[in-house]
Amino acid sequence: MTTKPLPEHPDFLWRNPEPRSSYDVVIVGAGGHGLATAYYLAKNHGITSVAVLEKGWLAGGNMARNTTIIRSNYLWDESAAIYEHALKLWEGLPAELDYDFLFSQRGVLNLAHTLQDVREGMRRVGANVLNGVDAQWLGPDEVAEVCPILNVSPRTRYPVLGGTFQPRAGIAKHDHVAWALARRADELGVDLIQGCEVTGFLKDGDRVVGVETNRGRILTGRIGLAAAGHSSLLAQRAGFRLPVQSHPLQALVSELHEPVHPTVVMSNHVHVYVSQAHKGELVMGAGVDAYNGYGQRGSFHVIEQQMAAAVELFPVFARAHVLRTWGGIVDVTPDASPIIGRTPVENLYVNCGWGTGGFKATPAAGWTFAHTIATGEPHPLNAPFALERFTTGALIDEHGAAAVAH
Ligand SMILES: Cc1cc2nc3c(=O)[nH]c(=O)nc-3n(C[C@H](O)[C@H](O)[C@H](O)COP(=O)(O)OP(=O)(O)OC[C@H]3O[C@@H](n4cnc5c(N)ncnc54)[C@H](O)[C@@H]3O)c2cc1C
């Protein structure tokens, strides 16, 4: 792998060109998914007349607020296929983008604390293996071998009865992933335009022909929405409804520590997951706040519960201190699976509903969304994730594999 790190704030982040009056494709949202879509539109399809419009700054949304967990051990065939495609792309991206964004395949453990957790975990391992996804079922002693600081004593309130383990899963440095994708897209001719909010859509009958923005009108043949958390607002402006709800989702980090935590541990049951960042912070996340909101901040009781759960699983963390907490806005669908595809408005495409787990999907979301926009037809990997499934009933229910566990 070549490793040529970018400077901390690469020049092009500040360039921010004036929008042209028209582009072949406009992408709304410069998070990971918007940037990956622009990169693959240029690289895979040769479409370089592309503008990525971002109302804030590059990757200032969920892309740089997430807890960076990457895995592909979802239950259903459709999910395993798209998330495994993403994981394979992750494995090649540092070399392809010529940037070492610290992708670390340190494995992910999903703990089981009840008989039902054990059944669900074993079923998922079986399904993963049949789909060619690396997955193992570990008993409590094997769990302790993978993560020695985890409390596997049978005397705890929710004893660890075992867990699923995906060795190829792990973490990556999220802001650097965004910069690496943005740099390549920029080199291929894509305009990355910050401080440019899409406020409306220009239509000719049932077809979109452009966008209204705070920096003027931009005409375009095709529009891709990649505005996680804000998708339903944009859909409303375009004249249709999406079955998504926006919720705050929080995370926190501790101060820096020596390396103590060798893998990623998640527990849906006690509602926490923890990894240790390359610099040494313990990175912890929990579930979404129950109410709908756009505030990029959540409730204190969620953080409190998350830390109580972390100390229960890892007694050694009782000595750690919280350095920082923050929140993002995620959009959640009824079946905890994303929507990628056409909309009722011609030439307007949507990529949303990744809920708490879209970082891991970034390359595959971009790959398949770019294909859909370039050809007007879904890629086989995103065809099952069409909006129509909410009327046909062909749902892909990933609550068991998604839930709190990102
Ligand atoms: C605390 C937290 C922890 C998470 N942990 C994980 C994890 O461990 N693993 C995982 O896989 N996923 C995780 N996620 C989920 C993941 O971050 C998201 O699913 C994913 O980042 C969404 O795609 P994105 O990167 O394109 O979104 P974003 O980065 O949010 O990009 C959307 C962009 O659209 C812009 N936008 C919105 N409206 C407009 C408009 N009208 N005009 C122009 N621009 C607009 C926004 O400003 C934003 O920059 C987590 C999320 C949070 C908040």
Side-chain angles (χ1 to χ4, degrees):
M1 183 176 70
T2 48
T3 54
K4 278 194 206 151
L6 291 167
E8 275 290 299
H9 292 100
D11 281 352
F12 72 86
L13 288 185
W14 311 124
R15 205 179 306 141
N16 202 10
E18 269 311 305
R20 299 202 310 253
S21 57
S22 75
Y23 291 89
D24 286 352
V25 178
V26 161
I27 304 294
V28 184
H33 290 208
L35 293 169
T37 305
Y39 168 62
Y40 287 121
L41 274 170
K43 176 176 172 269
N44 292 0
H45 303 279
I47 301 175
T48 56
S49 170
V50 178
V52 185
L53 309 182
E54 168 55 51
K55 72 173 182 170
W57 61 94
L58 280 190
N62 295 311
M63 183 58 176
R65 292 163 191 264
N66 66 68
T67 43
T68 82
I69 292 166
I70 295 170
R71 63 188 176 89
S72 63
N73 56 352
Y74 283 71
L75 176 66
W76 298 108
D77 296 352
E78 298 86 347
S79 321
I82 195 165
Y83 287 107
E84 180 60 18
H85 182 60
L87 187 45
K88 291 206 171 98
L89 289 172
W90 281 115
E91 286 169 336
L93 267 185
E96 181 180 323
L97 300 175
D98 193 15
Y99 185 63
D100 181 6
F101 46 71
L102 305 180
F103 178 44
S104 158
Q105 291 179 288
R106 57 183 66 185
V108 169
L109 262 173
N110 285 80
L111 301 180
H113 301 273
T114 64
L115 190 54
Q116 182 54 32
D117 282 352
V118 172
R119 287 187 184 129
E120 194 279 326
M122 286 182 164
R123 178 188 181 203
R124 192 138 54 86
V125 165
N128 288 162
V129 170
L130 289 173
N131 273 320
V133 174
D134 58 316
Q136 302 163 12
W137 174 258
L138 305 183
D141 293 344
E142 293 165 306
V143 166
E145 266 173 43
V146 174
C147 186
I149 56 169
L150 193 60
N151 185 5
V152 295
S153 158
R155 286 184 299 280
T156 58
R157 189 160 58 121
Y158 296 108
V160 174
L161 303 181
T164 66
F165 188 55
Q166 181 177 21
R168 285 166 58 242
I171 57 173
K173 196 153 166 28
H174 46 184
D175 43 355
H176 287 223
V177 174
W179 295 345
L181 287 165
R183 179 179 67 166
R184 274 285 180 263
D186 175 72
E187 283 170 3
L188 290 167
V190 170
D191 278 358
L192 307 171
I193 303 170
Q194 303 174 69
C196 185
E197 179 170 4
V198 171
T199 52
F201 295 87
L202 304 170
K203 280 172 137 181
D204 178 6
D206 286 340
R207 202 160 51 97
V208 279
V209 293
V211 286
E212 297 276 11
T213 79
N214 60 335
R215 292 175 67 177
R217 279 186 171 189
I218 303 173
L219 301 179
T220 182
R222 288 164 282 185
I223 301 173
L225 303 181
H230 299 84
S231 323
S232 54
L233 295 176
L234 283 159
Q236 202 176 20
R237 286 176 196 160
F240 68 100
R241 290 187 70 197
L242 282 172
V244 295
Q245 292 192 357
S246 296
H247 289 268
L249 176 65
Q250 299 183 80
L252 64 88
V253 287
S254 72
E255 77 279 60
L256 308 188
H257 291 282
E258 292 297 319
V260 287
H261 183 19
T263 183
V264 180
V265 173
M266 302 181 152
S267 169
N268 281 3
H269 202 84
V270 301
H271 250 68
V272 76
Y273 62 93
V274 191
S275 67
Q276 187 166 18
H278 296 87
K279 270 197 297 185
E281 305 104 318
L282 299 167
V283 183
M284 299 185 201
V288 293
D289 273 44
Y291 61 89
N292 298 137
Y294 295 92
Q296 292 194 318
R297 59 203 285 258
S299 312
F300 185 69
H301 74 267
V302 175
I303 296 282
E304 244 184 331
Q305 190 192 28
Q306 162 185 358
M307 284 192 291
V311 171
E312 197 171 325
L313 285 177
F314 302 91
V316 66
F317 290 176
R319 311 287 293 271
H321 301 98
V322 173
L323 181 68
R324 185 158 57 84
T325 75
W326 66 91
I329 318 160
V330 296
D331 46 4
V332 179
T333 59
D335 61 356
S337 282
I339 301 168
I340 324 170
R342 290 188 288 247
T343 70
V345 181
E346 205 180 322
N347 295 340
L348 180 62
Y349 302 88
V350 70
N351 166 16
C352 70
W354 292 93
T356 60
F359 173 68
K360 66 180 68 61
T362 301
W367 182 286
T368 56
F369 199 38
H371 175 99
T372 308
I373 295 169
T375 63
E377 295 295 329
H379 186 282
L381 288 173
N382 68 296
F385 296 98
L387 188 52
E388 289 80 30
R389 76 177 186 276
F390 297 99
T391 46
T392 62
L395 301 181
I396 304 164
D397 195 324
E398 286 291 357
H399 278 99
V404 66
H406 311 285

